Amino acid sequence: AKANPDEAIDIVMEYAPQEDPEHQRYMLDTELDMAEGGDHPELSIGAQTSEQWQALHDYLVQYGGLPAPIEDVSRVFTGEFLE
């Protein structure tokens, strides 16, 4: 998808013809940016900071994705497999 984003969108549209191709491209570009570190381009693909995990945690708590807050988010994720 990263090497051929237009082709990736064409494939998506084959399976979801009701979707807007421009919106699909925006989502792809956003996801690729986030996978590559987003605001932290020094990170490798898949790596995240503790701040990013905390923000995700807070979002999930706010919208009911987690039943209760986690006391220490740093205890529930690791980047050791990316090193």
Side-chain angles (χ1 to χ4, degrees):
K2 180 179 175 181
N4 299 293
D6 292 333
E7 184 178 346
I9 298 305
D10 289 343
I11 292 168
V12 168
M13 297 310 297
E14 285 181 34
Y15 293 94
Q18 74 281 4
E19 298 298 330
D20 176 17
E22 289 181 26
H23 180 68
Q24 295 301 312
R25 179 57 186 261
Y26 170 79
M27 290 193 329
L28 174 61
D29 291 344
T30 300
E31 290 294 329
L32 288 173
D33 179 56
M34 294 306 293
E36 294 174 331
D39 293 335
H40 302 276
E42 73 280 3
L43 299 177
S44 61
I45 289 180
Q48 293 182 322
T49 66
S50 58
E51 292 82 11
Q52 288 170 309
W53 273 94
Q54 186 66 55
L56 175 60
H57 165 271
D58 296 347
Y59 178 87
L60 291 173
V61 169
Q62 179 180 355
Y63 292 102
L66 288 173
I70 297 169
E71 188 171 318
D72 183 0
V73 174
S74 69
R75 294 184 60 201
V76 297
F77 82 94
T78 180
E80 73 180 77
F81 302 108
L82 298 170
E83 297 173 3

